[in-house]
Amino acid sequence: MHRLACLVRKELLELRQDPRLFGIVIFAPIIQLTILGYAATTDVKDVPVLVVDADRSSASRELITRFEASDNFSIVGMAGSTNEIDAWLESGRAWMALSIPAGYSDAISRGETARLQVVADGTDSNSTNVAIGYTRVLVASYAEDLVQRRTGRVPEPLVAATVRVWFNPDLVSRDFMIPGIVALLLLVITTNLSAMAIVREKELGTLEQLNVTPLARWELITGKLLPYALVGIVDVVLVLVVALLWFEVPLRGSPLLLFGMSLVYLLSTLGLGLFVSTVSATQQQAMMTTTFFFLIPMMYLSGFIFPIENMPGWIQPLTYLLPLRYFLVILRGIFLKGVGLETFWPAALALLVWGLAMLTLATLRSSKRLA
């Protein structure tokens, strides 16, 4: 224990001597979470719309007013011809164009179906689908009002669905994204820090000094792991405080369970970093290996950005190899659903096994012989 304590003290002193690294470890997660918390949202609002009104009637102006009054749309221009639509969409000044043909008001007054044309920019398919959905709802509501004016009664739908949304009733995407950002930031910070642990000893030449000490292999790994585990715990507390108090993400589950699962997650991220450290010759190589072979695949394949269920069938089994996938299930379950360990214990067990496996590999790969 005395040897282990001396090694831990050595690592902490090295961290304290680098003020820039201290700033990255403590302040960078807070700044990144604050910025990404506002930027990472899938909500679609204020869709820029170009209007081409060839009818120029009170009926067409009423429809345009409906779009202007909606929080989902923003009228950015009025064009005199449909020939101008392409230029607006190509330049990105408008995402969607609403074309009201001549004779629109006459068709409505005769009780006939009035045709509208909506041209949308499909570059961003997700945002376009949402905007088209908003348009359909708005036009359908407007059509019901027109029928009510003509008949004096509200038309009864043939099928009516009562929708109730659980866990996120307001459908705020930030409440879904911020737990994922917390998991991603912890992965990036702690994995990169621990990846430099043994490699730095090689580059500085201090690994030769460790070779002549009576440190066992497990003591070297534990001594390298504990300081960064303490740093990781501090980062966990900081990012959770920002998520709860600044962004007011609802925490419906147990805070103690959340903290405990975060410690299990740190076991995985630190173990991964130490394993990378044992197979790398330089700090630059360790950084590149961590980024390209682990961090980027985890970001795209864990379900943080893209739903795993929408991925091709041959890719989905690969996601079971990623610890971030399991921690996202745990985080979102505790934050939004308020579930306990009895619900997500398979993900917690997989996360624990993954962390122990990485630590075992790191221990087996490490050697007190100078590489």
Side-chain angles (χ1 to χ4, degrees):
M1 295 300 296
H2 177 69
R3 295 195 300 266
L4 187 61
C6 291
L7 182 58
V8 171
R9 181 172 180 270
K10 164 188 168 299
E11 293 293 324
L12 291 176
L13 288 175
E14 289 182 354
L15 286 176
R16 192 182 67 177
Q17 290 175 356
D18 191 346
R20 291 176 299 178
L21 181 61
F22 180 80
I24 293 175
V25 170
I26 301 300
F27 296 106
I30 299 177
I31 297 174
Q32 291 176 343
L33 179 59
T34 303
I35 296 175
L36 293 176
Y38 286 108
T41 175
T42 58
D43 295 336
V44 179
K45 295 183 178 180
D46 294 325
V47 176
V49 179
L50 172 69
V51 175
V52 180
D53 186 5
D55 192 58
R56 297 186 181 276
S57 63
S58 59
S60 64
R61 286 193 295 271
E62 182 181 3
L63 177 60
I64 296 172
T65 302
R66 291 287 186 108
F67 276 85
E68 291 177 336
S70 174
D71 294 333
N72 300 321
F73 300 99
S74 176
I75 305 298
V76 293
M78 302 288 293
S81 171
T82 55
N83 296 329
E84 302 178 34
I85 292 178
D86 289 349
W88 282 78
L89 296 183
E90 289 172 358
S91 64
R93 290 177 292 171
W95 289 7
M96 193 174 71
L98 173 66
S99 177
I100 305 175
Y104 169 79
S105 60
D106 293 337
I108 291 179
S109 62
R110 292 193 301 265
E112 299 175 356
T113 300
R115 300 291 180 181
L116 299 172
Q117 184 182 31
V118 176
V119 182
D121 181 358
T123 304
D124 184 351
S125 59
N126 179 68
S127 299
T128 301
N129 283 327
V130 174
I132 291 175
Y134 290 158
T135 304
R136 287 172 175 167
V137 171
L138 188 149
V139 172
S141 175
Y142 177 60
E144 288 183 2
D145 291 344
L146 292 178
V147 173
Q148 184 178 5
R149 292 178 196 173
R150 291 179 57 86
T151 62
R153 60 184 179 84
V154 179
E156 292 293 336
L158 297 179
V159 179
T162 301
V163 180
R164 181 180 180 185
V165 179
W166 284 13
F167 311 129
N168 189 6
D170 296 329
L171 298 178
V172 180
S173 64
R174 185 174 292 119
D175 292 348
F176 176 79
M177 295 297 295
I178 285 182
I181 295 174
V182 169
L184 185 63
L185 288 178
L186 293 178
L187 174 67
V188 173
I189 296 295
T190 56
T191 301
N192 281 325
L193 282 177
S194 57
M196 306 299 173
I198 296 178
V199 179
R200 185 172 59 248
E201 302 287 355
K202 294 180 182 180
E203 290 190 342
L204 297 178
T206 54
L207 190 59
E208 292 179 338
Q209 300 175 14
L210 292 176
N211 288 339
V212 298
T213 64
L215 283 171
R217 182 182 300 179
W218 71 269
E219 290 174 329
L220 177 62
I221 292 296
T222 304
K224 291 290 184 180
L225 181 67
L226 287 179
Y228 300 110
L230 295 176
V231 172
I233 292 174
V234 173
D235 285 339
V236 167
V237 174
L238 291 176
V239 295
L240 289 180
V241 168
V242 174
L244 294 174
L245 299 184
W246 182 262
F247 290 104
E248 298 181 346
V249 178
L251 177 58
R252 298 188 174 95
S254 169
L256 292 179
L257 180 60
L258 175 62
F259 186 75
M261 289 295 98
S262 299
L263 295 182
V264 176
Y265 180 61
L266 288 180
L267 184 68
S268 300
T269 59
L270 293 172
L272 173 60
L274 284 174
F275 172 73
V276 172
S277 183
T278 61
V279 299
S280 302
T282 63
Q283 295 188 58
Q284 183 180 8
Q285 183 182 355
M287 181 73 71
M288 298 290 286
T289 302
T290 302
T291 301
F292 290 101
F293 288 96
F294 294 101
L295 298 185
I296 292 179
M298 286 188 191
M299 182 185 305
Y300 289 107
L301 299 179
S302 63
F304 170 67
I305 300 177
F306 311 111
I308 296 176
E309 295 77 11
N310 295 344
M311 298 179 185
W314 63 273
I315 290 182
Q316 293 186 22
L318 299 178
T319 63
Y320 290 102
L321 302 176
L322 308 178
L324 184 58
R325 168 188 174 139
Y326 303 113
F327 194 52
L328 289 177
V329 173
I330 294 171
L331 269 187
R332 288 165 176 167
I334 296 177
F335 268 101
L336 299 179
K337 298 181 180 180
V339 297
L341 189 61
E342 70 282 355
T343 300
F344 56 74
W345 68 267
L349 179 61
L351 191 63
L352 178 61
V353 171
W354 206 97
L356 294 176
M358 280 294 102
L359 286 177
T360 302
L361 288 175
T363 303
L364 294 177
R365 285 285 310 176
S366 66
S367 174
K368 290 181 59 179
R369 298 187 303 269
L370 183 61

